[in-house]
Amino acid sequence: MALRIVEQAGRTDVGRQRSANEDSLMVNPPLFAVADGMGGAKAGEVASAVAVEAVEGATESGEPTETELANIVRQANRRIYDLAVADESRRGMGTTLTLAKVHGDEVSLAHVGDSRAYLLREGELEQLTRDHSLVAELERSGQITPEAAEHHPQRSIITRALGPEPDVEVDTYTLAGRDGDAFLICSDGLTSMISDDEVASILRSAGSLDEAADELVRAANQSGGKDNITVILFRLGEDEAGATTAPAEVAPADEDTIAGQISAADVAAAEPLGALGDAPADATVVRPPAPRTAAPAPTPADAAPRRRRRVRRLVGVAVALLLVAVVIAGLYALSRQVYFIGTNDAGLVTVYRGLPYELPLGINLYEEEYASGMPARAIPPARRKRVLDHEWRSRSDAVDLVRALERGRLDAGVGN
């Protein structure tokens, strides 16, 4: 029996810390797309919107699906690049684009940037796309661990996007679908806030994709909501005669809600019932909670062991807090003595004082020391990896290297 899209949902949310939403999405079965724009003066909004418009305006080409999707992405890239060249205020704008198409029993993807596509199959979540980001490249090359990548200060720096160059390399994938497969496409505003394990847990426990989409956005916001958050979900199922696919609701995410409570209106609307034994077999009966039995009062013999356990717990908590304080103090002391090279929010090569890590609750172990005028993308890729590897350096070594970059005297041996 053939597969079809049986359920779908889309949500986008500005997050808790941004004033505008630079994400765009498209839910138009069999096509789905997420774009995460970047660039000042609303240029990111323009770039992501242009990318999605290119997908919406695409027509069947008769080519293999992967080729068709890659061509759509390249056309979008060229439009964004031409706009940036023609308008100085949009210079440097760009966007990610992750695009999926369901065709027959297969799903094909085209991907540029650090937005992601996932597959939930039989309860297991798998990332289908590879991030085109500096941190992902460092992780793939073994220079940093996955744990370090999660809290790396440069994890938002991407190495491939639509717009900065006239041509772009596109990753494409095709996989065979199965009955019950659920696909997620999302911007990094989701995955930078919650882990893959949390995403999988939400998808497994949600009663519908609409509910899952709302819960994913809510979880990202509750974890800080540092970026715009966009999610698309669609599920495959076996085609049945006469079945139709309900249109997806694409809307801003709902406000926080509390589920599982019975309102006064619900109780008033219920028909009165007689004795429980007289209720119809299919009736829903709301029973009062069973009375609680008071626990017996503790005897004097119980009091002493209870006090000892309480004291042991308090001592354990105090020791744990002391150890945490010692670790944080040690990290802070070390962070005052070392430097590393990264990029700032504008994409410029920057010297930082401290360690290239973030602690929970948004505590940074680094601070900006010197920002150069050299854009990171102006450094050839092979040299860029050596320069931006976050190796611990002395202040003089770090500053000398950055100034050499500014003077254009970096040679193949620099960066060690």
Side-chain angles (χ1 to χ4, degrees), residues 184-267:
L184 165 67
I185 309 175
C186 59
S187 62
D188 71 331
L190 176 71
T191 53
S192 62
M193 289 291 99
I194 63 175
S195 68
D196 285 4
D197 287 342
E198 292 173 278
V199 171
S201 177
I202 290 171
L203 294 179
R204 285 193 293 260
S205 62
S208 68
L209 294 189
D210 276 323
E211 180 184 327
D214 287 335
E215 186 56 34
L216 287 170
V217 173
R218 186 179 299 118
N221 275 324
Q222 289 174 344
S223 296
K226 294 183 179 181
D227 200 353
N228 308 143
I229 309 155
T230 298
V231 300
I232 289 175
L233 291 161
F234 62 94
R235 191 190 310 277
L236 303 181
E238 292 184 345
D239 196 5
E240 298 178 2
T244 58
T245 302
E249 176 188 354
V250 180
D254 297 335
E255 296 297 324
D256 289 350
T257 59
I258 301 176
Q261 297 183 356
I262 300 173
S263 68
D266 293 331
V267 174

Side-chain angles (χ1 to χ4, degrees), residues 265-284:
D266 293 331
V267 174
E271 294 184 5
L273 297 175
L276 295 182
D278 299 331
D282 59 349
T284 299

Side-chain angles (χ1 to χ4, degrees), residues 131-409:
D131 294 351
H132 301 140
S133 68
L134 175 64
V135 168
E137 290 182 3
L138 292 173
E139 182 183 345
R140 284 194 290 267
S141 65
Q143 297 182 54
I144 61 174
T145 65
E147 292 74 21
E150 287 185 7
H151 302 288
H152 202 286
Q154 307 301 318
R155 61 184 179 272
S156 62
I157 303 301
I158 64 175
T159 55
R160 198 188 305 178
L162 274 64
E165 303 293 338
D167 298 306
V168 67
E169 183 181 353
V170 184
D171 290 351
T172 58
Y173 315 82
T174 295
L175 67 155
R178 295 184 190 173
D179 181 28
D181 282 351
F183 291 82
L184 165 67
I185 309 175
C186 59
S187 62
D188 71 331
L190 176 71
T191 53
S192 62
M193 289 291 99
I194 63 175
S195 68
D196 285 4
D197 287 342
E198 292 173 278
V199 171
S201 177
I202 290 171
L203 294 179
R204 285 193 293 260
S205 62
S208 68
L209 294 189
D210 276 323
E211 180 184 327
D214 287 335
E215 186 56 34
L216 287 170
V217 173
R218 186 179 299 118
N221 275 324
Q222 289 174 344
S223 296
K226 294 183 179 181
D227 200 353
N228 308 143
I229 309 155
T230 298
V231 300
I232 289 175
L233 291 161
F234 62 94
R235 191 190 310 277
L236 303 181
E238 292 184 345
D239 196 5
E240 298 178 2
T244 58
T245 302
E249 176 188 354
V250 180
D254 297 335
E255 296 297 324
D256 289 350
T257 59
I258 301 176
Q261 297 183 356
I262 300 173
S263 68
D266 293 331
V267 174
E271 294 184 5
L273 297 175
L276 295 182
D278 299 331
D282 59 349
T284 299
V285 180
V286 180
R287 294 179 172 84
R292 296 183 180 178
T293 303
T299 65
D302 297 331
R306 201 168 288 179
R307 281 195 298 271
R308 287 196 293 270
R309 287 195 296 270
R310 187 179 301 115
V311 169
R312 284 197 296 269
R313 283 197 297 268
L314 291 174
V315 170
V317 170
V319 170
L321 290 175
L322 179 60
L323 289 174
V324 170
V326 169
V327 170
I328 291 176
L331 289 173
Y332 178 79
L334 180 60
S335 73
R336 312 312 294 168
Q337 302 174 32
V338 298
Y339 296 78
F340 68 94
I341 299 174
T343 57
N344 61 16
D345 291 340
L348 300 176
V349 176
T350 302
V351 175
Y352 290 92
R353 182 181 185 179
L355 304 176
Y357 304 107
E358 292 179 2
L359 297 178
L361 304 178
I363 300 173
N364 297 331
L365 294 178
Y366 59 90
E367 61 185 20
E368 186 174 306
E369 179 79 7
Y370 169 72
S372 74
M374 170 68 70
R377 66 174 181 270
I379 307 173
R383 294 179 179 177
R384 186 190 308 152
K385 286 185 180 180
R386 296 203 307 275
V387 172
L388 303 179
D389 61 359
H390 300 104
E391 177 185 340
W392 296 1
R393 305 172 186 269
S394 68
R395 185 182 187 282
S396 59
D397 286 345
V399 172
D400 287 348
L401 177 55
V402 171
R403 286 179 175 163
L405 279 171
E406 291 180 302
R407 292 193 301 267
R409 293 208 299 256

